[in-house]
Amino acid sequence: MSKSSSESRRAPLASTGPSEVAEGGVFSYAGLHTESEDFLHLDVLRFIAAFGVVFIHFRFDFGWSARWFDGLQSMVDLFFIISGIDICHVYGRTRWGAVNYYNFLVARVARLVPLHLLTMLAYALVPITAAIIGVSLFSPERYDWSCFAPNLLLLQSFSICDHLTFNIVNWSISAELAMYVLLPLTLGVIRQSAFRAFFLSGAAVLLLFIFVDNWWERTADWGVLRAIPAFVFGVGLKLSEKSLAKVPVPELAFWPLVAMLVAGMMVVPYHAAMLMLTYGFAALVFICDARRQAGFFTRRLAPLGQLTYSIYMIHPLVITVFVKFLGLKVLNLTGDLLFVFLAACIFSVLVFSYISYIYFEGPSRRWVRSRLSLKRLN
């Protein structure tokens, strides 16, 4: 995300969190670093997953059928699984005193909140700017000011508003933050038992199937429920790492697995079966990391995993400003010109994400942690 476990992600409350730049990363280019050799396959997979979400939100502008790419929605659940693996890897053996718990939350807030606040500010300016220049808004219901405060406070996955508003991907960040808040309780119940983690994850899935209609599709309407079984499943994978490392899944299987997963998500509608398949693929990819056998391309692409959060948070804003306003309203693009413009916009997501990660997220993260963290009690 080679250092020893005590120096990298396994260090409780270490100076770098699960998605943060580590000094002297094993692989690096253009300011992007892998933190260690531990999860190189997952680093690549979450980068691919981020662009899977991008294609979900671009598909209608390309004129693709709603059926195509629909299964890519389960990429969000894949993020929750990877997060469970990552967080357990770093904080699984932390002694949760008040100071350590506070510092953990500061680290997670420093990772998530600055870019969240920046994108929320940008989205707040969209309807104001539209009113000033006298243009109509695409999807005006998205700019529901009664939902602004819940969005700002990252509470939107708790059904405070019944529809997605402003930065529509923030519901999953809200759910992710809830998993962090509950982490000491979750780990306390699991108590380093992979069996307990898988049992709790399975029990949560079963209860959701019984009591919550279409729970796998929830976003603003209690989307936090989607995070619970996926996150706990990720914790279970991490706790069973030594056993999974014995499963004979070769490194050469990684790219075919990823291709099968993406192809399946592109042609299979998003429903419970697709979601369960995603859980299984996540386990197979984790086995590749458990066996510590990353190949040439995996090692070179892994640093791009650092851009996942930026891509995820910034791409809806690119769609709003560049596609909806500039491309469709100002330039009135159609046909091949629109197709080329959309392709350029997708590439711009990567550029803007890189700029954000290097020049905003990294500095703001360090600034927040340096000012809010307390001296740790070991």
Side-chain angles (χ1 to χ4, degrees):
M1 247 186 173
S2 154
K3 291 185 177 183
S4 69
S5 60
S6 63
E7 294 174 319
S8 184
R9 282 178 167 163
R10 292 184 182 176
L13 301 172
S15 59
T16 55
S19 299
E20 298 181 34
V21 173
E23 292 295 330
V26 178
F27 309 106
S28 64
Y29 47 80
L32 299 177
H33 307 259
T34 56
E35 295 174 356
S36 72
E37 292 188 329
D38 292 328
F39 297 138
L40 298 181
H41 295 91
L42 291 178
D43 283 341
V44 174
L45 185 60
R46 61 194 178 109
F47 174 75
I48 295 171
F51 267 98
V53 176
V54 170
F55 276 106
I56 292 173
H57 296 142
F58 268 88
R59 60 180 167 169
F60 296 115
D61 297 301
F62 274 105
W64 291 323
S65 167
R67 177 177 174 272
W68 290 98
F69 298 97
D70 184 60
L72 289 172
Q73 294 181 60
S74 59
M75 289 295 192
V76 178
D77 304 279
L78 188 61
F79 287 140
F80 293 138
I81 296 172
I82 295 175
S83 179
I85 295 170
D86 242 350
I87 292 295
C88 182
H89 187 64
V90 180
Y91 302 108
R93 296 185 180 276
T94 297
R95 288 178 287 179
W96 291 105
V99 173
N100 278 352
Y101 181 53
Y102 170 81
N103 282 341
F104 164 71
L105 292 180
V106 167
R108 305 325 304 150
V109 166
R111 179 67 183 98
L112 299 178
V113 171
L115 186 57
H116 160 67
L117 294 179
L118 183 64
T119 57
M120 282 298 297
L121 173 61
Y123 266 106
L125 294 174
V126 168
I128 296 173
T129 304
I132 291 174
I133 64 179
V135 299
S136 59
L137 291 168
F138 282 95
S139 304
E141 71 280 359
R142 183 170 175 176
Y143 304 94
D144 184 346
W145 288 105
S146 67
C147 296
F148 186 80
N151 272 267
L152 194 67
L153 297 174
L154 286 173
L155 298 173
Q156 62 271 44
S157 68
F158 293 89
S159 202
I160 296 176
C161 294
D162 61 358
H163 61 288
L164 294 173
T165 53
F166 297 96
N167 194 349
I168 59 174
V169 299
N170 274 348
W171 74 267
S172 61
I173 308 306
S174 167
E176 182 83 0
L177 190 60
M179 296 301 98
Y180 297 155
V181 171
L182 295 174
L183 183 64
L185 176 62
T186 302
L187 294 178
V189 172
I190 292 172
R191 286 191 286 182
Q192 295 293 315
S193 168
F195 173 80
R196 287 193 181 195
F198 290 134
F199 176 82
L200 290 173
S201 178
V205 168
L206 180 61
L207 290 173
L208 288 171
F209 273 121
I210 294 172
F211 295 108
V212 183
D213 293 335
N214 297 329
W215 61 271
W216 57 90
E217 296 179 344
R218 298 300 181 103
T219 54
D221 52 341
W222 290 105
V224 67
L225 296 176
R226 287 172 61 178
I228 295 171
F231 186 88
V232 175
F233 182 75
V235 172
L237 288 177
K238 177 64 187 75
L239 292 177
S240 58
E241 183 175 14
K242 290 183 179 179
S243 297
L244 292 176
K246 300 175 184 178
V247 178
V249 176
E251 154 64 16
L252 291 176
F254 172 67
W255 289 104
L257 284 172
V258 172
M260 290 170 60
L261 176 64
V262 174
M265 288 179 175
M266 289 172 61
V267 299
V268 178
Y270 181 54
H271 47 57
M274 187 71 250
L275 180 63
M276 295 300 100
L277 185 62
T278 301
Y279 277 52
F281 270 104
L284 289 173
V285 171
F286 178 72
I287 290 172
C288 293
D289 276 328
R291 293 173 62 83
R292 300 292 188 270
Q293 53 182 11
F296 177 86
F297 289 108
T298 301
R299 290 171 177 268
R300 270 58 187 178
L301 292 176
L304 294 175
Q306 298 294 334
L307 298 179
T308 299
Y309 184 58
S310 308
I311 292 169
Y312 190 70
M313 294 293 285
I314 289 173
H315 82 270
L317 196 59
V318 170
I319 294 174
T320 298
V321 175
F322 288 90
V323 177
K324 303 298 187 185
F325 177 71
L326 180 60
L328 298 180
K329 280 189 175 291
V330 176
L331 300 177
N332 295 312
L333 297 176
T334 59
D336 291 340
L337 285 177
L338 177 59
F339 188 92
V340 172
F341 182 76
L342 290 171
C345 286
I346 291 178
F347 179 75
S348 76
V349 169
L350 184 61
V351 175
F352 288 132
S353 298
Y354 174 80
I355 294 172
S356 170
Y357 180 79
I358 297 296
Y359 297 106
F360 177 74
E361 294 175 66
S364 63
R365 191 182 316 158
R366 291 188 291 271
W367 186 88
V368 171
R369 296 186 68 166
S370 66
R371 282 158 178 77
L372 296 183
S373 296
L374 300 176
K375 182 178 180 181
R376 289 188 286 275
L377 300 178
N378 295 320

